[in-house]
Amino acid sequence: MTQIYSKILGTGRFLPERVLTNADLEQMVDTTDEWIQARTGIKRRHIAADDQTTADLAEAAARDAMAAAGAEPGDIDLIMVGTTTPDQVFPNVGCLVQERLGIHGCPAFGLEAACSGFIYGLSVADRFVANGTAKCALVIGAETLSRMTDWSDRTTCVLFGDGAGAVVLGPAEVPGVISCHLGADGRYQDLLYHPYGTSRKQRPEDTEGPFIQMRGNEIFKVAVKTLENIVDETLEANDLPREAIDWLVPHQANIRIIQATAKRLAMPMEKVVLTLEDHGNTSAASVPMALDTAVRDGRIQRGDLVLLEAFGGGLTWGSALIRY
Ligand code: ACO
């Protein structure tokens, strides 16, 4: 029997219209544009309108990716949405997107792995396509992190933004998705988390608000180390030298973390796709939005070898090596 692989047929993204600049943040908290740019690399971020939800962003990114792939709603037979900011507890965002696209019956689910959500989703969808269970999978990363950001906390509010990115995956005779590598370590859960959910509710005695909590300095160090390890793991698994990689599409959390990963790959920064400056950290949406940006501006061409990587709360981390 011929081995089936998966490949990316098309990419898409959607950003809400409203832009919040560092100058805007200077009016909200005790910070400066200079500090934010120097410590993070971020200049501005997009923020969802009050009536826009994660499903709205996900749907728009999905339609964009489907148009790029030439896929009709009737072609889609799997929907996965990586998100930590779902519209509701259930139905999951995948079901909401499915209904809006007028598709009925195919599996649709959400995947919660914080900033690694898209790469986790890509890895799962790759298996569905490679074993013949799905022929046209929609993989989305979508977030409205602004809804869980404390806009009076300068240590976190300068970092995050909203957006959505998507890819359509289909079958191929040669590997498009070459290998995915996932990991998690719950020992680091206290470095980055949201304290409350449905089961663990906020109590009157709790001092933390219902917002992202982060020990930025500590997670920074763990992130650099973890990403170095996953880059090495991906290269070793494929018996590839560092210089084989044409493009690095990293999770857009902090320019200094990205620079450290690029250094590990001995890769010049011109080969690293950066959207951080304009998007901030959009968690699960950041990697597919960056991928789409570089595909659409012509940097990433068919046949290029691309390394996607992410890490996030959990901790979770993941990489995907793809031949675009
Ligand atoms: N403006 C001005 N000063 C600030 C701000 C701000 N927005 N935020 C913090 N500071 C101050 C601090 O209070 C501190 O002051 P002090 O020295 O008087 O105590 C000083 O700046 C240095 O603070 P640090 O936290 O040590 O600064 P650092 O260089 O570590 O940068 C940052 C902070 C940008 C958060 C960095 O640690 C980082 O990016 N960490 C990784 C974060 C990350 O990637 N998180 C997301 C993971 S992805 C996900 O799952 C969502």
Side-chain angles (χ1 to χ4, degrees):
M1 214 176 80
T2 323
Q3 169 78 46
I4 310 172
Y5 300 96
S6 79
K7 76 177 276 193
I8 292 177
L9 304 178
T11 65
R13 71 180 185 278
F14 180 79
L15 285 154
E17 205 174 313
R18 183 178 163 213
V19 174
L20 189 72
T21 65
N22 290 351
D24 295 328
L25 283 164
E26 285 177 350
Q27 308 303 312
M28 297 161 62
V29 289
D30 180 15
T31 191
T32 61
D33 173 44
E34 193 190 359
W35 191 97
I36 301 170
Q37 282 201 50
R39 299 287 179 125
T40 71
I42 301 166
K43 288 187 180 171
R44 55 190 79 83
R45 67 289 290 147
H46 291 249
I47 303 293
D50 290 346
D51 60 353
Q52 258 175 336
T53 67
T54 296
D56 294 323
L57 312 191
E59 178 196 354
R63 289 189 187 278
D64 200 32
M66 287 164 61
E72 298 296 327
D75 299 328
I76 304 295
D77 56 5
L78 173 70
I79 302 175
M80 317 221 21
V81 184
T83 187
T84 34
T85 46
D87 292 38
Q88 305 159 236
V89 175
F90 62 86
N92 73 67
V93 177
C95 291
L96 303 180
V97 171
Q98 189 206 49
E99 203 280 320
R100 288 158 183 227
L101 294 175
I103 309 167
H104 303 287
C106 76
F109 49 105
L111 205 153
E112 191 198 332
C115 303
S116 313
F118 172 78
I119 290 187
Y120 267 60
L122 185 69
S123 173
V124 174
D126 168 56
R127 308 300 202 275
F128 271 75
V129 174
N131 72 18
T133 311
K135 286 198 166 51
C136 195
L138 196 46
V139 186
I140 306 168
E143 300 280 11
T144 45
L145 287 184
S146 60
R147 303 279 153 78
M148 53 159 78
T149 299
D150 179 354
W151 291 104
S152 66
D153 173 11
R154 70 174 183 171
T155 67
T156 53
C157 76
V158 300
L159 302 174
F160 302 111
D162 300 335
V167 302
V168 175
L169 267 196
E173 286 172 10
V174 290
V177 177
I178 297 169
S179 70
C180 295
H181 306 265
L182 307 180
D185 193 337
R187 282 176 302 181
Y188 295 112
Q189 60 187 274
D190 291 346
L191 299 190
L192 178 61
Y193 59 97
H194 184 291
Y196 312 115
T198 311
S199 184
R200 190 183 188 286
K201 292 196 181 297
Q202 186 171 9
R203 298 158 305 184
E205 63 271 30
D206 286 325
T207 50
E208 291 172 328
F211 308 114
I212 298 171
Q213 311 287 327
M214 189 176 75
R215 285 161 43 192
N217 213 285
E218 289 167 67
I219 196 159
F220 187 98
K221 290 177 203 146
V222 180
V224 169
K225 187 86 203 104
T226 304
L227 291 172
E228 285 178 353
N229 289 343
I230 199 148
V231 163
D232 292 349
E233 182 186 333
T234 311
L235 292 175
E236 278 165 26
N238 293 284
D239 201 16
L240 284 173
R242 298 187 294 185
E243 52 284 3
I245 308 293
D246 295 310
W247 295 101
L248 174 65
V249 182
H251 173 47
Q252 311 282 319
N254 184 307
I255 187 69
R256 293 178 291 143
I257 297 174
I258 295 172
Q259 284 163 342
T261 312
K263 197 169 163 203
R264 188 68 162 200
L265 281 165
M267 181 173 261
M269 286 306 283
E270 305 83 71
K271 290 290 187 181
V272 180
V273 179
L274 294 174
T275 54
L276 181 71
E277 192 174 294
D278 296 322
H279 299 175
N281 179 350
T282 57
S283 188
S286 97
V287 170
M289 285 207 292
L291 177 65
D292 181 63
T293 301
V295 165
R296 283 180 194 257
D297 68 21
R299 274 178 290 171
I300 295 181
Q301 297 282 327
R302 284 287 173 201
D304 284 353
L305 197 57
V306 184
L307 180 62
L308 316 178
E309 50 85 339
F311 73 97
L315 285 182
T316 60
W317 59 88
S319 70
L321 183 69
I322 61 169
R323 178 76 65 188
Y324 182 69

